[in-house]
Amino acid sequence: MSSTSTAAGASASTRSYHANPTWKSKKEAQQVDYPSKEAFQSVMDRIERLPGLVSPNEIDRLRSQLASVAEGNAFLLQTGDCAELFDYCNPEQIQAKLKLSLLMSLILIWGARKPVVRIGRIAGQYAKPRSKPTEIITKVDPATGETSKHEIISFRGDNINAFSPEPASGRIPDPERLLQAYFHSAATLNHIRSELASGLADLHAPRQWSFQHVQSSALQAEFESVVDSLTDALDFMKTIGADPSTFASSSVLNSVDYFISHEGLSLAYEEALTRLVRKPTTANPHAARNVHPSDVPDIKDDFERYDLSAHTIWLGDRTRQLDGAHVDFFSSIRNPVGIKVGPSMKPEELIQILDVLNPDVAIPASASSGRASGWSTPSGASNVVYGKEKGRVMVIIRLGAGKVASHLPPLLEAIAASNHKDSIILLCDPMHGNTQTSPYPPASSDPNAQPLKTRSFGDIISEILSFLQIISSDFPTLHLGGVHLELTGDKDVTECFGGSMRLEPKDLERGYKSHCDPRLNFEQSLDVAFLLSHYFRNQRLVGKARGGARTEEEIQKQQAIIASGSGDELLAELICGITNRPQSS
């Protein structure tokens, strides 16, 4: 192909993040039917005048860190509740989630020897997509004891309506709840920032982090080993004068970045918190203060849109229509974005969506060094190349343990063959595809009590390990960028069975607190972190020492465990290995 035709092709496939989005003219999935459009618009006008919850600079910092994840130089840990409630906005629960994320990331860093980018499903995860607009509940007449069925509006999340079915009027969508969502998000984020600024993440005092929930003596010993090694390393750094904390008020050793995210369901809410930022130029390298799009009648190409409701938002499996409003909105913002990929996603559809969300953009030639593919140079612009922005899109794959073997390879084949292969971040979401109904009916006498939704820890681990196995065996140009987990730091939660606690389905009702989907509890979350840390440690040590390499027999045994879906058996084997292995590396 001639250079002229190459340049033409680059121009034809190139689009900028459009400052004049057209999402309002497209069909919006999961729309909420508010009784009063005037009241809804009044709330949106009020939110539009409020400050953003995050800043464009913070979003740009996340973009930079996610580029490292896309290159394989960092690992992404995205964790939090399936759906937040306003009641979760209290110091104890916020701190519990934050501490758990810090503990997990410390364990992962120690095994993988990579930085961990932490993103919470917090400070805005109040919306809940539903497959049906209504649900059926059973009521009991207190006088006669007779039961009757009633159809009411489905619970859509605390920012839409009330969880309680009584009174039924509480299920009527109320736009004032979106305003409450803003302020609860602001309060949650403020507490997160104050805790981190106060030294919650100080690696000089890791023993102050709570590990009391853990019942497994082997896992406790493993964490103690990590802490002992870390403390020893920090003491050495301090002795030789290399500890930044001895001469700087803030360093990577006593503070961390923690970013927030949620599913972007209500586009009106997201638009109300979207601001325009003027692109930096050579003459003016500092971006202008952000303004709302409604304040700029003629939006020019020198503005970029930042959604300041969160550092990153994601598209759900129910809102990823290629010609829909959500994909259009997501393509218009500079935030990094995620897309949930379930079993119904076709490989060609995924690539089409990626083409929209991460178009070819002009990037300075200096920033393209080290990349051998996917770039093209327009004629007359030797200092500019066109290509994909690294880390712009997180592909969050949620298939279920039983479908990974059949559904994941075609998706990875399509990605590996596309020009997105070295720019996207592959995340494994082992939660959403593994939801099941507990075989034990609830013991409650409440006629509205439903069978408990739960997840098997074995399925969760099997999906993660199958994901890793398929990538390492068949797709050497790709890598697992991170995991996306639903979990809680709250005490005494029993919503998923299995793990080192050996919870059984009959134990679930003892501490079932979720109003949405089942979450990993504190100890199960650390189980996942130790398993991943152990896996990455082995990968890191391969070739360095004979003990780091696995025998063919060990590989076949792990593959058999994965095939059987017995993640608990693999966990038991890991705990045994942790207990017996020499403490090194």
Side-chain angles (χ1 to χ4, degrees), residues 417-489:
S418 75
N419 55 2
H420 296 280
K421 63 179 178 296
D422 55 356
S423 64
I424 65 163
I425 295 172
L426 284 174
L427 292 185
C428 176
D429 172 0
M431 308 297 295
H432 287 87
N434 290 311
T435 305
Q436 58 180 277
T437 301
S438 170
Y440 287 85
S444 172
S445 59
D446 182 358
N448 290 322
Q450 299 293 318
L452 296 175
K453 288 197 296 184
T454 187
R455 289 164 176 153
S456 163
F457 184 82
D459 289 342
I460 291 168
I461 294 304
S462 291
E463 179 157 358
I464 294 174
L465 292 175
S466 295
F467 201 113
L468 287 165
Q469 185 70 35
I470 291 170
I471 288 181
S472 62
S473 299
D474 303 324
F475 298 94
T477 62
L478 303 177
H479 65 273
L480 177 68
V483 288
H484 184 109
L485 304 170
E486 289 187 340
L487 52 78
T488 175

Side-chain angles (χ1 to χ4, degrees), residues 20-51:
N20 287 293
T22 55
W23 69 265
K24 292 182 180 179
S25 65
K26 299 185 176 182
K27 185 177 180 180
E28 182 179 353
Q30 294 288 317
Q31 266 194 308
V32 177
D33 187 15
Y34 289 97
S36 170
K37 289 184 173 56
E38 292 75 16
F40 174 74
Q41 189 55 50
S42 175
V43 168
M44 290 301 101
D45 292 342
R46 291 156 68 187
I47 293 176
E48 196 175 287
R49 295 191 295 271
L50 292 169

